[in-house]
Amino acid sequence: VSSGIDFLLVRRTKNGGLSEAIKDGLQHAKGDYFSCPEYDDVLLPESVAKRVEFLERHPSYGVVTADSWVVEENELDKRNRLLTRSNPNRYELNHFIQTLHFKTTFNAACNMIRMSAFDATHVSRSFVPSRLGPNVQILLPIYYHYNKGFIPEPLSLFVERASSLSHTR
């Protein structure tokens, strides 16, 4: 894993939101893998390296998901439960059907996507921006064509906030 940054692009778009920012960023992305944690996700120090290592060992996989600790916004050190909650589907290689039945993990910090799989399934590197983010639009086509790996070790923190999108309907 390289620790250097080839370039940094900063753009400001009024009222674009997270989804628009990810869409714009993917137009400029370079490299073999990408992950787009959200503003309140916390990646643990070994998160990127372990997910890259997994994808390097499994070249036919399009994405890898790692487990995540669920923590409260005021108690980041208190790690009570895992996001997958022992989901019996977490080790299945094809998550296309799991996704259609809402039986997969969509926390953005948990996923690392192979850029070649993204480019093969999103030729224009685009998706329809939405208030709830692009997770399903990015992952569903990849799940249809590629296997998904799972690392049972928690490599991020999913911060539960009373005001977050994940708690609003």
Side-chain angles (χ1 to χ4, degrees):
V1 175
S2 171
S3 60
I5 296 175
D6 292 332
F7 74 94
L8 178 63
L9 174 66
V10 177
R11 295 172 53 110
R12 294 184 188 269
T13 305
K14 213 170 199 181
N15 298 323
L18 176 65
S19 186
E20 193 68 46
I22 292 169
K23 180 181 170 190
D24 189 38
L26 284 168
Q27 295 299 314
H28 303 282
K30 299 187 183 319
D32 296 327
Y33 309 104
F34 81 90
S35 182
C36 44
E38 295 177 2
Y39 70 95
D40 57 355
D41 294 327
V42 178
L43 298 180
L44 298 178
E46 64 279 6
S47 177
V48 172
K50 287 188 176 189
R51 292 184 295 160
V52 166
E53 179 183 306
F54 182 95
L55 288 170
E56 290 289 320
R57 283 194 329 264
H58 300 90
S60 67
Y61 286 39
V63 63
V64 63
T65 299
D67 214 333
S68 184
W69 288 109
V70 178
V71 297
E72 299 295 323
E73 64 185 312
N74 297 321
E75 299 179 304
L76 296 180
D77 293 327
K78 188 176 179 184
R79 299 172 184 177
N80 295 339
R81 66 180 170 90
L82 295 173
L83 184 63
T84 64
R85 299 182 194 160
S86 300
N87 180 336
N89 303 310
R90 66 190 184 278
Y91 287 104
E92 289 188 25
L93 297 178
N94 185 311
H95 268 251
F96 181 77
I97 298 297
Q98 304 304 326
T99 303
L100 295 177
H101 293 282
F102 302 102
K103 295 181 180 179
T104 193
T105 303
F106 276 123
N107 176 264
C110 295
N111 297 304
M112 178 172 280
I113 298 167
R114 187 178 306 278
M115 201 67 195
S116 61
F118 177 75
D119 284 337
T121 56
H122 299 77
V123 178
S124 66
R125 287 193 174 187
S126 190
F127 51 85
V128 178
S130 73
R131 180 178 169 274
L132 295 176
N135 291 332
V136 174
Q137 291 184 67
I138 289 174
L139 291 170
L140 194 59
I142 294 172
Y143 289 166
Y144 185 78
H145 293 282
Y146 296 91
N147 287 331
K148 176 183 97 65
F150 178 74
I151 300 172
E153 178 182 358
L155 297 177
S156 62
L157 304 180
F158 174 74
V159 181
E160 287 192 318
R161 298 180 190 275
S163 62
S164 73
L165 286 176
S166 59
H167 286 331
T168 59
R169 296 282 179 224

